[in-house]
Amino acid sequence: MHLSKRALMGGMLALPALSRVVAAVPGRFADRDYDGAIVIDGLGGLADPYGKEGDPRFSLRAWTELKQSGVTAIHCTVNEVGNDPDVAEKTLRNISSLEQAITDNTDMLCRATSAADIRAAKAAGKVALFYGFQDTSAIGADLSRIDLYHGLGVRIIQLTYNKRNLSGDGSLEAANAGLSDLGRQTIEAIEAHRILLDLSHGGQRTVAEAIAHAKRPPIISHSGCRALNDNPRNIPDAEMKALADKGGVFGIYYMPFLAANSKPTREDLLRHFEHALQMCGEDHIAIGTDGMIFKTVIDDAARAAQRKFYEERARKGIAAPGEGPDVFNIVADYDSNMRFRMLADDLAARGWPAARIEKLLGGNLMRLYREAWGA
């Protein structure tokens, strides 16, 4: 998910007091536990669907819904994916745009480069944004660029996107050739800078070889379980287990790739979380929606935008099986700003204990972030 061109637009003055959204109900996740939890979208985005074009302030409605959601922090992609020659230049512009958006909304948002920053955001009632890459094409063979991006706040770097780059094969490369020598050097440089290595979108051999080569626990921030839907964007059981054995964390997305018909239901999503629990254990699972917080408005304009988005991805060869001109990147049953709270309630109703749900909501990611970035 890329940074929206309309990210953080709108107008807002002060936020009124919020009433509790969900009352304490037997079989549901307790209000006090949800209110106290650090809730992290391990790969998402933030854009104001209600704001006025050109207004740098976040709208009151969007901020109200964002606060109601309970989210504490969001991993935002700032790089430009693909092997085009201008990806590094576009990446720097993306970082600059997001920095400006945070500056324009410092009463609501902050940039995080450490786990302590996320905790501070929770205490201050703000939402922390932290920066990540979904490709190493903006780095290429010049590994000194990693130091530059680290200095600009990047704390997560994904090795590949869907196609092959200089580091290795992405999930859509039929050859499944795995890591290159440069890919191994890139992993070492990422870890040397205390940046978290992300293996989402990787080909099966790339993921397996990168986990084996890594010295620190990596992450697969947004994916699904291949055993439940045989899609190249999903991860096989063996690599899920290897990731957990290395101390890493596996994040489940709210994406069409969860189901063969590209229209995943509530039950499909819950099955992926429960399979990930079986493969990885409760200390190694998380959420990475690969989407936005707010309910998706599906109208004629949205349909036209989705068609254009898909056609551009298809032209570049980066559209995965399951994508389509009329396929929206949502789980319709959870298409709400309350998607994290809804998930917590549904898992509680299925017998998940509160401590496990808190780990899933953000506790496991906080542990991994502390190990990668420092306290």
Side-chain angles (χ1 to χ4, degrees):
M1 182 64 64
H2 294 289
L3 179 67
S4 168
K5 300 302 183 185
R6 294 193 64 252
L8 305 174
M9 298 294 186
M12 172 243 170
L13 293 177
L15 179 69
L18 296 174
S19 60
R20 290 194 183 275
V21 177
V22 182
V25 176
R28 291 195 174 186
F29 196 62
D31 285 337
R32 65 180 180 276
D33 291 335
Y34 192 76
D35 291 347
I38 290 180
V39 180
I40 300 174
D41 191 342
L43 191 286
L46 188 59
D48 186 344
Y50 314 118
K52 297 176 181 178
E53 192 71 44
D55 189 337
R57 293 285 289 166
F58 216 58
S59 69
L60 175 59
R61 179 179 175 184
W63 180 236
T64 301
E65 291 185 7
L66 186 61
K67 290 295 289 181
Q68 286 175 335
S69 77
V71 69
T72 309
I74 302 170
H75 168 197
C76 297
T77 299
V78 295
N79 75 298
E80 201 74 19
V81 303
N83 296 313
D84 293 338
D86 59 350
V87 290
E89 178 184 349
K90 288 181 177 178
T91 294
L92 293 175
R93 288 204 298 265
N94 290 344
I95 293 172
S96 178
S97 295
L98 189 49
E99 285 284 299
Q100 186 60 54
I102 293 173
T103 298
D104 292 333
N105 295 273
T106 53
D107 51 336
M108 298 173 272
L109 307 172
C110 62
R111 173 161 65 96
T113 57
S114 68
D117 289 341
I118 296 175
R119 291 193 297 271
K122 175 73 174 180
K126 296 183 179 183
V127 174
L129 307 180
F130 51 100
Y131 303 170
F133 279 19
Q134 283 199 66
D135 203 345
T136 51
S137 58
I139 298 166
D142 185 358
L143 299 185
S144 68
R145 290 180 176 178
I146 294 176
D147 185 61
L148 166 66
Y149 295 130
H150 181 271
L152 294 174
V154 174
R155 289 297 180 270
I156 299 178
I157 293 180
Q158 183 177 294
L159 201 62
T160 66
Y161 196 63
N162 284 346
K163 299 298 287 181
R164 176 178 295 160
N165 63 20
L166 293 179
S167 291
D169 275 11
S171 62
L172 302 188
E173 284 289 343
N176 191 28
L179 282 180
S180 65
D181 289 341
L182 177 63
R184 294 178 176 83
Q185 296 168 15
T186 302
I187 290 172
E188 293 164 8
I190 287 169
E191 293 186 332
H193 283 84
R194 300 297 299 271
I195 294 173
L196 179 58
L197 173 67
D198 193 346
L199 300 176
S200 306
H201 286 266
Q204 179 270 324
R205 280 190 59 194
T206 298
V207 173
E209 292 172 5
I211 292 170
H213 190 75
K215 299 297 186 292
R216 295 176 177 273
I219 191 171
I220 296 176
S221 63
H222 58 297
S223 191
C225 306
R226 183 81 66 92
L228 300 185
N229 185 36
D230 188 12
N231 184 293
R233 275 291 289 112
N234 295 333
I235 300 295
D237 288 353
E239 282 65 54
M240 293 171 64
K241 291 177 181 178
L243 178 76
D245 289 344
K246 201 78 176 226
V249 171
F250 184 76
I252 299 290
Y253 46 30
Y254 289 41
M255 291 288 279
F257 314 120
L258 298 174
N261 66 359
S262 299
K263 296 179 180 179
T265 64
R266 178 190 302 261
E267 185 62 26
D268 290 320
L269 181 65
L270 295 174
R271 286 174 61 237
H272 278 265
F273 276 111
E274 293 190 326
H275 187 81
L277 173 66
Q278 293 172 6
M279 294 300 105
C280 300
E282 68 177 42
D283 295 320
H284 304 281
I285 52 176
I287 305 167
T289 66
D290 203 4
M292 298 292 175
I293 296 295
F294 306 105
K295 180 176 177 58
T296 306
V297 176
I298 300 179
D299 54 17
D300 288 344
R303 293 185 185 94
Q306 172 59 29
R307 178 173 295 276
K308 180 178 179 181
F309 174 71
Y310 169 74
E311 289 174 350
E312 178 65 12
R313 288 175 61 81
R315 183 186 66 79
K316 292 181 176 180
I318 60 174
E323 295 187 46
D326 57 352
V327 176
F328 287 86
N329 292 334
I330 59 173
V331 177
D333 294 334
Y334 286 95
D335 189 30
S336 163
N337 68 306
M338 300 306 297
R339 64 197 62 192
F340 303 108
R341 175 71 210 223
M342 293 165 66
L343 176 66
D345 287 341
D346 286 345
L347 292 173
R350 292 167 87 98
W352 284 40
R356 180 189 295 163
I357 294 172
E358 289 183 20
K359 290 178 182 180
L360 176 73
L361 289 173
N364 290 336
L365 288 176
M366 285 294 285
R367 184 267 303 170
L368 187 64
Y369 296 162
R370 286 193 301 270
E371 292 180 7
W373 309 335

